[in-house]
Amino acid sequence: MKKDLVSISDLSGADIGELFRTVKELKGRPRHGDIAKGKTLALVFEKPSLRTRVSFSVAWGQMGGYVIYLAPGDIGLGKREPVADVARNLSRWVDVIAFRTFAHKTVEELAEHASVPVINALSDGEHPCQALADFQTIREIHGTTKGIKLAYFGDGNNVCNSLLLLAAKMGTKMWIAGPKDYKPKKKYLDMAAKDAEKTGATITVTENPDEAAKDAEAIYTDVWYSMGKEKEAAKRKTLFKKYQVNSKLLAHAKPNVMIMHCLPAHRGEEITDDILDGPNSVVLHQAENRMHMQKALLYRILGR
Ligand code: CP
Ligand code: NVA
């Protein structure tokens, strides 16, 4: 594995296979004693978080390590002190940094200047830990992610980007349905196309939600306005309306379709309550797997 996980593109197929094997091994062995004993994980967060903060903290704690949490505004990243200086200082005290920020280039910059591993805990560009945990969830339920039809509805955002990059590496048939101006950026689609050639994955972008949902084995959605985009909420609520995950959309999918959401959900916007809380929903399974996958990631990063 590379030193940092900034993007899904940092991982090879072999790395991903190794992570899935490690999750399986660690799930059967909940105590991991002293793997991280005497080591510190810094969580540097410029945005709020429930799942990422708690799952990283619990994972590291179960491995015997110590966590330090730096909340939005605590260190004045890029204002009180340049990102590179923060990276160099943190590297003298801590062993791993998990970083949540706005611009994707900020996490790239932190990783470049830190001598310790940096994990992207969400940027405006990607959410790699989320996508890895989600593919773990699909594997546990379907046995594989190869050839599975995964249909994503709504904003071509950070979660969508990491999912499509991972789909391309895993041979998944991914569909993305959303309004014309909110498709994933060409940069991500081009990166995915290169991997898809080798794995047989397909990435299809459409404005037609019914076509995307047809015979899908997994339906995924995320908020229509991510953290930092709240000012666009009213405009987006109108534009995204026809991409809502509801019972009408589900009628096009396979009867045992998995309903996925990274959470937090804006109930009644991108997804209705009956579907989010319904029998096909695996959202809490996804949330639990964040912890297992990040534990596997930290385990590998420590060179185990
Ligand atoms: N899915 C996710 O990353 O949740 P949080 O924003 O609560 O960490
Ligand atoms: N796309 C969402 C994901 C939250 C986990 C956001 O960035 O706010």
Side-chain angles (χ1 to χ4, degrees):
M1 290 233 324
K2 284 191 179 173
K3 171 177 114 16
D4 309 302
L5 175 63
V6 170
S7 161
I8 288 293
S9 64
D10 290 324
L11 298 169
S12 66
D15 290 334
I16 298 163
E18 197 53 45
L19 286 171
F20 289 144
R21 271 190 294 282
T22 308
V23 172
K24 201 171 170 197
E25 187 197 322
L26 295 178
K27 269 194 166 184
R29 185 157 63 92
R31 296 278 163 258
H32 316 293
D34 57 0
I35 295 165
K37 197 171 174 193
K39 295 192 189 293
T40 301
L41 164 68
L43 300 176
V44 183
F45 279 32
E46 295 198 289
K47 291 174 177 171
S49 167
L50 171 66
R51 278 146 292 271
T52 309
R53 178 180 175 183
V54 176
S55 57
F56 264 114
S57 304
V58 173
W60 195 245
Q62 287 187 5
M63 292 163 78
Y66 182 76
V67 175
I68 179 160
Y69 172 70
L70 297 161
D74 274 0
I75 55 176
L77 194 81
K79 295 185 191 87
R80 184 169 179 262
E81 203 165 2
V83 174
D85 285 347
V86 170
R88 293 184 194 110
N89 277 264
L90 280 175
S91 300
R92 295 290 175 120
W93 307 306
V94 310
D95 301 277
V96 188
I97 303 167
F99 181 39
R100 171 167 286 201
T101 189
F102 291 86
H104 187 71
K105 65 173 180 355
T106 312
V107 61
E108 289 175 339
E109 196 183 348
L110 192 87
E112 185 192 331
H113 296 283
S115 59
V116 298
V118 172
I119 300 173
N120 180 354
L122 182 147
S123 66
D124 288 347
E126 278 202 57
H127 198 359
C129 299
Q130 181 70 50
L132 286 166
D134 295 339
F135 271 58
Q136 173 68 29
T137 305
I138 299 173
R139 269 171 72 90
E140 287 173 0
I141 293 171
H142 276 291
T144 181
T145 53
K146 194 170 173 70
I148 293 286
K149 181 170 178 181
L150 165 64
Y152 176 94
F153 296 86
D155 190 18
N157 62 14
N158 43 11
V159 170
C160 179
N161 292 336
S162 288
L163 286 172
L164 77 87
L165 291 177
L166 193 52
K169 287 185 185 286
M170 302 311 294
T172 308
K173 293 186 171 66
M174 180 149 179
W175 285 66
I176 298 148
K180 178 163 66 57
D181 296 331
Y182 297 85
K183 290 176 181 170
K185 286 204 176 78
K186 189 174 174 299
K187 167 184 140 180
Y188 294 104
L189 295 171
D190 288 349
M191 273 200 269
K194 281 197 193 131
D195 282 325
E197 255 177 46
K198 293 178 227 142
T199 62
T202 53
I203 313 290
T204 313
V205 182
T206 177
E207 284 163 50
N208 182 336
D210 297 352
E211 187 191 19
K214 191 174 182 303
D215 296 329
E217 276 127 344
I219 281 186
Y220 200 119
T221 191
D222 185 14
V223 291
W224 291 338
Y225 40 100
S226 287
M227 291 179 276
K229 299 272 183 215
E230 291 83 357
K231 278 197 200 120
E232 296 178 27
K235 178 181 155 202
R236 285 173 177 246
K237 278 189 212 176
T238 312
L239 282 169
F240 284 83
K241 212 171 180 157
K242 78 172 195 191
Y243 301 98
Q244 185 187 63
V245 172
N246 54 31
S247 55
K248 210 166 134 261
L249 186 78
L250 247 67
H252 298 279
K254 290 237 168 103
N256 64 345
V257 63
M258 297 165 59
I259 302 301
M260 306 184 77
H261 194 308
C262 57
L263 303 179
H266 293 160
R267 289 170 175 266
E269 291 182 12
E270 75 276 3
I271 190 161
T272 53
D273 282 338
D274 56 330
I275 303 303
L276 188 67
D277 302 327
N280 292 19
S281 173
V282 298
V283 298
L284 294 175
H285 193 147
Q286 291 172 260
E288 183 186 328
N289 273 337
R290 292 292 306 278
M291 183 186 72
H292 300 297
M293 180 48 79
Q294 286 153 200
K295 200 187 278 176
L297 196 59
L298 292 164
Y299 196 79
R300 289 290 149 213
I301 277 174
L302 291 177
R304 301 294 181 119

